[in-house]
Amino acid sequence: MVRLDKVNKYFGSLHVMQDIDLEVAPGEVVVIIGASGSGKSTLIRCVNGLEEFQSGHITVDGNELLPYGKSGRSLQTIRTEVGMVFQQFNLFPHLSVRDNVTLAPIKVRGLSRDQAVQIADRLLDRVGIADQADKYPGQLSGGQQQRVALARALAMEPRLMLFDEPTSALDPEMIGEVLDAMRELANDGMTMMIVTHEMGFAREVADRVIFVHKGRIVEEGPPETVFDSPEHERTQSFLARVLKH
């Protein structure tokens, strides 16, 4: 589903992705961990073209992204096939929950209002907030808003879902409800790349865990291997810090 081949990314002189090689199989859940500033979020933002990269190749479901935004039509195809949920909810405050979810299917996919509403109501039920459909984002809790953002991404019927620390802006009591929705999505076989600091969740849902340090993948493997017997010194020190809390 996803392949990165020798991908390099710079911010000025800062080399934030260094010869990244990575493949994600259809239906696989890959969780990316690492310290702040290690390049985790940049990696997944490159997968759907939100960040340009300087060299290498990225292929998503057979569509190739080229360096420096040369991908043209393939970039638009990738963006319609890849859903993304960010740290911030990015909902339109002047639209109802239902209208936030129906907007892209109507505008981008050309669905009728009735078709889009059917999809929206099904997805809002799936993420457990069908009863909030007529409210506005400002009337919802943070956890509810993030579940609306998830339903909005799913409304485009993506083949791949990307998550960039989707619970980091939430109060602790709201984190569980978002993770539950993501857990169900993983159980349904969605291909997912997830950047998160929720190590318990990563251990539970990941098929593979990747540890990124200073722009490089330094360790990867099944969660039980990476968490219980990490080989790389950097992975060991990172996990020793984060698993204390």
Side-chain angles (χ1 to χ4, degrees):
M1 180 64 73
V2 180
R3 181 177 180 182
L4 286 77
D5 182 23
K6 296 289 184 291
V7 174
N8 287 274
K9 163 73 178 176
Y10 296 84
F11 287 123
S13 61
L14 187 63
H15 198 178
V16 293
M17 288 175 62
Q18 303 185 37
D19 287 329
I20 295 289
D21 290 325
L22 175 63
E23 292 188 0
V24 180
E28 187 177 18
V29 177
V30 173
V31 173
I32 304 165
I33 63 172
S36 295
S38 61
K40 313 180 299 295
S41 294
T42 302
L43 192 159
I44 65 166
R45 289 171 68 90
C46 283
V47 170
N48 70 346
L50 286 176
E51 293 284 359
E52 295 183 351
F53 55 100
Q54 277 74 20
S55 66
H57 300 275
I58 298 177
T59 305
V60 181
D61 196 24
N63 299 288
E64 187 172 9
L65 278 170
L66 301 174
Y68 293 112
K70 298 174 182 175
S71 304
R73 186 168 295 175
S74 67
L75 176 58
Q76 298 307 314
T77 302
I78 286 170
R79 285 183 173 166
T80 60
E81 293 188 356
V82 178
M84 188 159 184
V85 176
F86 301 86
Q87 296 178 34
Q88 301 299 327
F89 321 126
N90 300 317
L91 300 174
F92 292 109
H94 64 290
L95 297 179
S96 70
V97 164
R98 182 182 286 111
D99 287 345
N100 264 279
V101 178
T102 60
L103 186 64
I106 292 170
K107 297 289 187 182
V108 179
R109 289 204 178 273
L111 298 186
S112 70
R113 167 82 183 164
D114 287 345
Q115 288 173 313
V117 166
Q118 281 189 340
I119 292 171
D121 287 349
R122 172 173 55 81
L123 291 172
L124 290 170
D125 181 60
R126 181 177 179 180
V127 299
I129 49 172
D131 57 336
Q132 308 296 319
D134 295 316
K135 292 185 178 179
Y136 289 85
Q139 298 174 285
L140 306 183
S141 70
Q144 288 173 325
Q145 289 187 61
Q146 192 61 296
R147 284 186 283 164
V148 175
L150 176 54
R152 180 181 58 183
L154 292 174
M156 290 294 287
E157 298 182 338
R159 294 174 54 78
L160 168 69
M161 282 293 299
L162 307 176
F163 294 87
D164 186 7
E165 299 186 26
T167 59
S168 65
L170 299 178
D171 293 333
E173 65 270 19
M174 298 177 185
I175 291 173
E177 59 191 55
V178 174
L179 295 181
D180 284 344
M182 294 172 62
R183 190 177 290 115
E184 184 175 324
L185 200 58
N187 291 337
D188 287 345
M190 174 65 77
T191 310
M192 301 165 70
M193 297 177 70
I194 305 169
V195 173
T196 185
H197 292 292
E198 300 293 332
M199 297 300 151
F201 174 74
R203 180 190 288 269
E204 179 187 350
V205 305
D207 296 306
R208 187 161 35 120
V209 173
I210 291 172
F211 176 69
V212 178
H213 177 69
K214 293 185 177 179
R216 294 185 181 274
I217 295 175
V218 300
E219 188 152 359
E220 63 179 294
E224 58 271 17
T225 301
V226 173
F227 286 119
D228 296 339
S229 52
E231 294 182 2
H232 199 284
E233 176 188 351
R234 296 293 184 187
T235 320
Q236 294 168 6
S237 61
F238 171 77
L239 291 173
R241 287 198 313 273
V242 300
L243 294 178
K244 282 181 184 177
H245 301 296

